[in-house]
Amino acid sequence: MFSEELKTFRRLGFRHVLLQVLNFASVIASGLMIWKGLGLITNSESPIVVVLSGSMEPAFYRGDLLFLTNPSNERYQTGDITVYKIPGQGIPIVHRVLETHDKAGSISDPVPYQRLLTKGDNNYVDDIELYQGLQWLERKHIVGKVRGFLPYVGYVTIAMNDFPQLKYALLGGLGLLALIQRE
Amino acid sequence: MALLAAIALSSFVFSADPKGALNIASVKVYNVKAQRYPHRKQELAFVNFNVTADLTPLFNWNTKQLFLYLEAEYANAQGVKNEVVIWDRIIRRKEDAIINVVGKNKYNFHDISTTFKNVPPSSYSLKYNVMPYVGVLTYGEAAKTDEPVAFPKVESRV
């Protein structure tokens, strides 16, 4: 069954296999570079996020893709949609700012000191219960401000989390393609 | 993909800036038990307002919904600058975009120092966030009170 493939392998030699591996590595490396570069430009640790919950419906549904920025000298305002991460909690949350409280005289600071309270559009109450004992969000908890929106595209990642078989099928398929494909 | 990009870019062409009217009918301050702290008291402000606005120009083919919110902006006695959303509404259809609301605050309105004593007057504004089917989120202001509204003296519960 695989004898033909093995034969071509032997014909092309060890160098060809190495080249294939190198190609693969450069694809992964450039992907990582783009991601980190975006992170640098937007000053956000993850400039693109996938919506995981329905608490911002009907604005954002599960699987929608959001583009974030987090300019350090800009203050957050009410009505802004933020993505925040509470320490000790893995999943980032996408909710809208309900209250801001700026420390006196901190507007001119390079990074203004703000205390924020958020709420999901689809929730009845604010987020204090989600803050795990914190009273307010601070800048250090915030990943970014939502600037752009692309529907459904992120659903692939959710599907892969919900159905792990899909993930393995996709990875296996890609791997097989990379092996079989020859220039 | 190109179509999505074209739609996202097309919404920059539409630049509606509708204006409405906002009137604060009354503000009252009461001293009540604090949320989550059974033995502490804090002052809550109750705001009654009238809003009229025609926001239909904001609806174009890339408008998914409007998020409309009424915000109080003030600096408290310690000089902390505050912005507090006291009312909001999601508008999903063009037919619902003619706003005529006589309402009161939906969310608790209290100061972080627990009191509105000596707090300078607050200005109120009606703002909106246009959320597209695809593309960039935009913000705007539809109305603002002509002059700041003072917080009255605290009343005990009737």
Side-chain angles (χ1 to χ4, degrees):
Chain A
M1 190 184 158
F2 287 112
S3 59
E4 206 147 297
E5 270 78 16
L6 277 175
K7 222 176 271 172
T8 53
F9 256 165
R10 224 162 271 151
R11 186 161 52 81
L12 291 167
F14 187 56
R15 277 168 175 272
H16 183 75
V17 178
L18 279 184
L19 205 66
Q20 209 90 312
V21 170
L22 204 64
N23 252 331
F24 197 63
S26 85
V27 166
I28 290 176
S30 53
L32 200 69
M33 264 167 66
I34 290 170
W35 178 251
K36 286 292 172 193
L38 266 181
L40 266 180
I41 293 167
T42 59
N43 189 33
S44 170
E45 57 178 285
S46 82
I48 301 174
V49 296
V50 176
V51 177
L52 294 173
S53 82
S55 60
M56 282 297 278
E57 283 177 20
F60 303 145
Y61 289 88
R62 258 164 72 86
D64 292 344
L65 216 59
L66 306 175
F67 299 89
L68 314 180
T69 63
N70 183 28
S72 60
N73 55 351
E74 216 174 89
R75 53 185 296 280
Y76 281 78
Q77 293 172 314
T78 52
D80 285 344
I81 303 168
T82 59
V83 176
Y84 64 87
K85 222 182 216 169
I86 300 295
Q89 212 176 22
I91 307 164
I93 300 174
V94 186
H95 278 176
R96 198 185 290 274
V97 176
L98 191 71
E99 294 182 13
T100 69
H101 306 281
D102 302 12
K103 196 177 148 193
S106 74
I107 301 294
S108 48
D109 287 0
V111 180
Y113 180 80
Q114 292 189 291
R115 289 190 276 197
L116 307 174
L117 179 68
T118 56
K119 176 183 164 292
D121 286 1
N122 199 24
N123 294 351
Y124 285 107
V125 291
D126 57 46
D127 286 351
I128 288 186
E129 309 291 331
L130 295 176
Y131 294 168
Q132 312 237 332
L134 294 174
Q135 288 289 316
W136 305 97
L137 283 185
E138 287 168 37
R139 272 309 272 268
K140 61 184 177 206
H141 302 127
I142 288 177
V143 178
K145 185 190 290 192
V146 177
R147 288 305 173 96
F149 172 79
L150 194 62
Y152 309 126
V153 180
Y155 208 86
V156 186
T157 59
I158 291 183
M160 283 201 284
N161 259 329
D162 288 356
F163 309 102
Q165 298 97 319
L166 196 72
K167 185 161 53 185
Y168 299 128
L170 201 73
L171 277 178
L174 280 178
L176 213 64
L177 263 178
L179 276 179
I180 290 170
Q181 176 195 58
R182 47 192 111 116
E183 283 96 76
Chain B
M1 204 69 195
L3 180 67
L4 286 180
I7 292 171
L9 287 175
S10 76
S11 50
F12 287 109
V13 177
F14 305 104
S15 57
D17 185 22
K19 294 287 172 206
L22 166 66
N23 176 35
I24 303 298
S26 74
V27 180
K28 282 185 172 149
V29 178
Y30 292 112
N31 201 6
V32 297
K33 260 187 204 144
Q35 255 182 322
R36 299 180 181 94
Y37 302 101
H39 303 299
R40 224 185 283 174
K41 285 210 154 189
Q42 71 180 12
E43 290 175 15
L44 287 187
F46 293 85
V47 182
N48 284 299
F49 59 86
N50 313 315
V51 167
T52 49
D54 180 7
L55 300 176
T56 46
L58 291 172
F59 274 84
N60 58 51
W61 66 340
N62 192 22
T63 306
K64 185 182 196 176
Q65 67 165 35
L66 293 181
F67 183 82
L68 185 68
Y69 56 102
L70 181 65
E71 172 200 282
E73 200 181 331
Y74 68 98
N76 75 1
Q78 286 79 36
V80 178
K81 275 201 70 197
N82 306 283
E83 289 174 4
V84 181
V85 173
I86 59 174
W87 175 86
D88 62 19
R89 172 177 281 185
I90 295 170
I91 301 157
R92 303 179 67 185
R93 298 185 308 165
K94 198 172 184 173
E95 296 87 84
D96 298 334
I98 298 169
I99 311 295
N100 197 351
V101 175
V102 178
K104 57 177 197 266
N105 55 319
K106 197 167 147 185
Y107 305 118
N108 266 352
F109 184 15
H110 60 84
D111 188 68
I112 46 174
S113 66
T114 72
T115 173
F116 283 106
K117 201 175 171 187
N118 298 328
V119 172
S122 160
S123 61
Y124 296 82
S125 52
L126 184 70
K127 297 187 174 179
Y128 59 82
N129 171 210
V130 185
M131 310 186 77
Y133 283 109
V134 57
V136 178
L137 279 69
T138 50
Y139 290 84
E141 189 181 280
K144 198 173 169 71
T145 47
D146 298 331
E147 44 193 47
V149 182
F151 291 103
K153 276 216 175 74
V154 61
E155 301 173 45
S156 55
R157 219 20 163 169
V158 193

